[in-house]
Structures are given as structure tokens and as C-alpha cells.
Amino acid sequence: MAKEAKARIKINKLLEEAGWCLLDDDKQKANVVLEGKAKMTASVIEDCGVNYEKTKNGFMDFLLLDQDGHALVVLEAKREDINPLSSKNQARDYARSVHAPF
């Protein structure tokens, strides 16, 4: 299993333990979107530099929704051997693209 897949499994578990719902069930509707699409503008792509996947649309690993279903938090999953700050700009740009405050 790839290291990033292991990270996602760990994050899924932590989100569920914290009360987030990853799948619709009888009690509640999911409030986490997995691999949500983010529209990226040309200037955002240019600002990300050479280490960024050059695409007009990116995919957020996790998008957490508030109680009204609006974007609240973007989470990017990375392998444990990657410095989490290295993807800060990517996550910030995704958050801006969906108007998430975090």
C-alpha cells in the first residue's frame, strides 16, 4: 500500500473519531467531501511554482463542510516523510478556490 494511501486511512479514522461523517448514513449526511474538485486560476497555478501539478483543476484530499453544507476546511494528505508545510500553499489555494476559511 502506498504511503499516501496509509496517510489517508489514518486521517479518515482521526476525522471519524473527531465526529466527522465521511459517508451518508441513516443518522446524518456526510460532511466530508473526498477528492473534491477545486477550480484553479492561471495566476494561482503560476504562484505555486515548479513543484505544483500544473492543472486548471486540482483535487482537494478532504473538504470539511459546516452544518449548512458550506466549505469550511481543506485538508491535504501527505506521506509522513513529507514536511507538511511544503503543501501549505497548495491547501491555501484550494481553500480560497472553494471559499473555505481554513
Side-chain angles (χ1 to χ4, degrees):
M1 180 181 304
K3 289 182 180 180
E4 189 165 331
K6 288 181 181 180
R8 288 173 191 251
I9 290 169
K10 186 182 281 189
I11 293 168
N12 287 353
K13 184 177 179 183
L14 291 169
L15 287 170
E16 288 175 339
E17 288 173 359
W20 293 94
C21 181
L22 278 71
L23 299 170
D24 290 345
D25 62 25
D26 295 338
K27 297 177 186 172
Q28 65 182 13
K29 192 168 173 82
N31 56 9
V32 177
V33 177
L34 303 172
E35 291 290 329
K37 200 172 201 179
K39 193 114 174 126
M40 303 297 283
T41 64
S43 63
V44 166
I45 291 170
E46 286 174 22
D47 289 343
C48 290
V50 295
N51 293 328
Y52 187 73
E53 183 181 23
K54 303 260 184 216
T55 180
K56 291 194 181 201
N57 294 295
F59 291 91
M60 299 167 281
D61 292 325
F62 299 89
L63 174 62
L64 282 56
L65 307 175
D66 67 14
Q67 63 189 5
D68 297 320
H70 298 115
L72 181 63
V73 176
V74 170
L75 296 175
E76 278 300 305
K78 299 298 174 199
R79 299 184 321 255
E80 288 183 357
D81 61 340
I82 292 180
N83 182 336
L85 293 179
S86 69
S87 298
K88 181 175 78 171
N89 289 337
Q90 178 186 9
R92 181 185 299 131
D93 292 334
Y94 285 163
R96 286 180 182 152
S97 76
V98 295
H99 307 290
F102 304 99

